[in-house]
Amino acid sequence: MRDGIHLVADHYAPAMPAGSRPAGTLLVRGPYGRGFPFALMFARLYAARGYHVVLQSVRGTFGSAGEFEPMVNEAADGADTVVWLRQQPWFTGRFGTIGVSYLGFTQWALLSDPPPELAAAVITAGPHDLPASVWGTGSFAVSDFLGWCDLVAHQEDPVGIRAGIRQMRAPRRVARAAAELPMGAAARAMLGAGAPWFESWAEHSDHTDPFWERMRFSAALERVEVPVLLLGGWQDIFLRQTLQQYRHLRDRGVDVALTMGPWAHTQLLGKGLATSVRESLDWLGVHVGGAPALQRPSAVRVFVNGQGWRNLPDWPPATTEHALYLRPGGYLGETEPAATTPPATFRHDPADPTPTTGGPLLSPSSGYRDDSRLALRDDVLAFTGATLTRDLCVYGNPVIELVHASDNPHVDLFVRVSEVDANGRSRNVSDGYRRLDASQTRAEVVSVELDAIAHRFRAGSRIRVLIAGSWFPRFARNLGTEALLTGRQLKPATHSVQFGRSRLVLPVDAPSADGVADPGSDVG
């Protein structure tokens, strides 16, 4: 590197028949080592198909010298790696990049100043803006990022039974540390000497703070010109950024494609692997390897839950608004109730926060889960609609608008849309979270945008809205005071939601010219 630090990389060379030429070169950069699963999924697999592959450990990890500071050195080190790549006698003159999660972030870092030899990128659930994921809701995403810090801090410990048991117990240890007071001391006790950056991440709550500039590469969205394939999941923690990346590149006229499956982050190298590999080989084969044409039939492929894969020319498709109003008695309906009806209330006690149940998490318990018990909790408001007489297809971001007030200015709102089947079993569909402005002192309309979905609510099912004051441990519980790392005092809050304007707005499939919703093109 430019500062004299040496990074370690493995070079996988294709075994080429006499007279044939390599398909191209691929660069893969990440912090998780060069063994399984990355060696298999991003190196051997592509080398077997004619690519030279460079699999590199980023600074301070798995033999690479220097200190690991998450995200900070990836732009400079990526650029210096390309300088090295140009000097290799086997370099084919053009290269692509590929990788998932942090291995996607390193691609955005390189794309902030794209080298001329870069021909294409395949980015799976790769954030370009770390602070937006850590603090984007106004609340610290503690289970995701304390858990990740713990993983990175101990990933090079000797492999053995103890290490395996430790990893299995990691989610419980994270939840326990996040629940202790003060949280900062408990988190540091769990991390030991590892992850020295954790406290600074938790202390800088404003994600627009200059502190975070080295960990965001929004400029890459303006500078990239090469074809980009984006892959992700509806239950992935980086879903919003993946869709933002697609929209921005598409609006700029960049050759970009999007594939979104029914996966959580931890499933992208499991349940989502077959789809990702097939589409990645297709994309790189055309844009790096010189294949004649893409096999994918459309720019956008989304998995519609309850229906299957659908090909679309763009995302989101045309939709119309469908409003369901919160009504007294725990009902959802299409007519607006009288605003004079007494409000619904619930009490959030930070000593007993509403537990995280499924959803987008960095945890094996992420994804779609039975959340029926949540509707029975005293600290959750539940509103359930009538049984649907026909399918209702929703594409895009649901929005919940609440006329909300509380007796404590320091409060959060968690909102969820679930689907209740004919047997009464509820399953999560989309979540939203927001820390409210502490200056709010009276009832105001609060709008919470939920995660984007492609979902068919089946005829015979019911739509449910859940509202709570926490979602722990995914987000650090609001103690009812201002401190996060050092707070010791707990102060409950009573929330009230007024009827009348409080409603759920769903973007539903727009009817075609004949008045029938367009089913799109479904593929297996």
Side-chain angles (χ1 to χ4, degrees):
M1 303 295 103
R2 65 192 65 180
D3 59 358
I5 291 292
H6 286 77
L7 306 188
V8 178
D10 294 341
H11 169 217
Y12 290 76
M16 302 301 299
S20 61
R21 301 178 60 184
T25 302
L26 299 180
L27 175 62
V28 187
R29 306 187 62 250
Y32 305 120
R34 302 179 311 283
F36 183 83
F38 304 100
L40 175 63
M41 297 173 181
F42 298 124
R44 292 185 181 276
L45 185 142
Y46 291 90
R49 284 157 178 80
Y51 293 93
H52 286 276
V53 183
V54 174
L55 178 58
Q56 184 186 71
S57 290
V58 303
R59 179 180 295 241
T61 68
F62 290 90
S64 288
E67 182 180 352
F68 178 57
E69 282 188 88
M71 287 78 182
V72 169
N73 296 296
E74 304 311 349
D77 286 355
D80 291 350
T81 299
V82 174
V83 172
W84 172 87
L85 196 61
R86 293 185 185 120
Q87 301 167 357
Q88 306 313 304
W90 43 262
F91 179 50
T92 56
R94 287 162 53 85
F95 75 97
T97 57
I98 188 171
V100 60
S101 194
Y102 196 108
L103 286 69
F105 180 90
T106 60
Q107 295 181 69
W108 289 117
L110 185 63
L111 287 166
S112 65
D113 186 15
E117 298 90 348
L118 181 59
V122 175
I123 303 175
T124 302
H128 64 277
D129 186 343
L130 175 70
S133 295
V134 177
W135 278 105
T137 65
S139 182
F140 185 59
V142 63
S143 72
D144 292 341
F145 292 99
L146 176 56
W148 184 80
C149 289
D150 180 59
L151 168 69
V152 173
H154 296 282
Q155 65 177 344
E156 296 188 58
D157 291 351
V159 177
I161 294 177
R162 286 188 177 181
I165 293 174
R166 187 183 191 284
Q167 189 59 33
M168 286 171 35
R169 293 176 175 173
R172 279 178 288 176
R173 289 187 298 103
V174 169
R176 188 163 54 247
E180 291 185 25
L181 296 176
M183 189 189 77
R188 178 47 55 196
M190 187 188 79
L191 294 171
W197 58 84
F198 173 78
E199 283 83 356
S200 62
W201 285 13
E203 289 166 351
H204 289 83
S205 58
D206 182 358
H207 65 93
T208 65
D209 191 303
F211 164 82
W212 293 105
E213 281 305 308
R214 298 184 301 168
M215 287 166 269
R216 66 161 58 94
F217 288 101
S218 301
L221 302 182
E222 297 291 343
R223 296 173 182 169
V224 60
E225 301 290 345
V226 301
V228 178
L229 171 62
L230 299 169
L231 299 135
W234 294 123
Q235 293 289 298
D236 176 46
I237 62 169
F238 300 124
L239 168 64
R240 286 178 180 259
Q241 291 200 45
T242 300
L243 294 178
Q244 178 189 352
Q245 293 156 8
Y246 169 79
R247 187 72 266 151
H248 199 102
L249 298 185
R250 180 67 182 261
D251 289 346
R252 285 186 52 230
V254 175
D255 184 1
V256 60
L258 173 71
T259 297
M260 194 64 62
W263 314 302
H265 198 78
T266 56
Q267 297 171 330
L268 291 167
L269 292 182
K271 293 181 179 179
L273 183 60
T275 298
S276 297
V277 167
R278 182 174 62 251
E279 302 209 356
S280 300
L281 286 169
D282 183 28
W283 192 260
L284 293 170
V286 170
H287 298 296
V288 179
L294 288 170
Q295 297 176 17
R296 63 182 299 136
S298 63
V300 176
R301 294 186 70 241
V302 299
F303 188 89
V304 183
N305 285 294
Q307 179 173 316
W309 287 98
R310 180 176 177 184
N311 297 311
L312 298 168
D314 199 4
W315 177 265
T319 57
T320 58
E321 287 191 355
H322 180 72
L324 294 171
Y325 289 88
L326 277 58
R327 300 184 60 83
Y331 298 105
L332 279 178
E334 296 184 1
T335 57
E336 181 177 342
T340 56
T341 306
T345 64
F346 68 94
R347 184 176 184 270
H348 167 246
D349 183 358
D352 181 24
T354 311
T356 302
T357 307
L361 311 166
L362 272 180
S363 166
S365 60
S366 58
Y368 299 107
R369 302 283 170 169
D370 185 339
D371 62 8
S372 305
R373 291 186 178 182
L374 288 174
L376 305 177
R377 286 182 60 98
D378 292 338
D379 59 353
V380 176
L381 294 180
F383 299 89
T384 308
T387 301
L388 296 175
T389 58
R390 59 181 178 86
D391 290 353
L392 186 69
C393 293
V394 181
Y395 299 98
N397 295 87
V399 174
I400 290 184
E401 299 168 354
L402 302 175
V403 183
H404 173 272
S406 69
D407 62 357
N408 183 339
H410 303 294
V411 293
D412 295 0
L413 274 177
F414 168 75
V415 292
R416 164 173 282 184
V417 172
S418 296
E419 181 173 15
V420 184
D421 65 22
N423 297 319
R425 178 176 177 268
S426 177
R427 188 168 177 259
N428 57 300
V429 173
S430 180
D431 294 349
Y433 199 91
R434 182 175 165 187
R435 176 151 293 187
L436 301 188
D437 187 345
S439 65
Q440 178 182 332
T441 58
R442 57 186 177 84
E444 296 182 6
V445 177
V446 176
S447 179
V448 182
E449 183 182 77
L450 282 68
D451 293 330
I453 58 174
H455 189 90
R456 181 179 70 164
F457 290 92
R458 294 176 178 270
S461 69
R462 292 173 292 160
I463 299 172
R464 173 173 287 169
V465 168
L466 300 172
I467 303 169
S470 60
W471 196 235
F472 181 82
R474 188 191 178 195
F475 296 104
R477 55 184 172 163
N478 195 324
L479 304 181
T481 57
E482 295 186 78
L484 173 63
L485 291 179
T486 60
R488 293 177 179 273
Q489 181 182 2
L490 300 176
K491 186 177 180 181
T494 298
H495 297 246
S496 67
V497 175
Q498 296 181 8
F499 296 105
R501 295 180 58 188
S502 296
R503 62 179 188 165
L504 165 67
V505 181
L506 296 172
V508 301
D509 208 3
S512 60
D514 59 5
V516 178
D518 178 14
S521 173
D522 297 331
V523 295

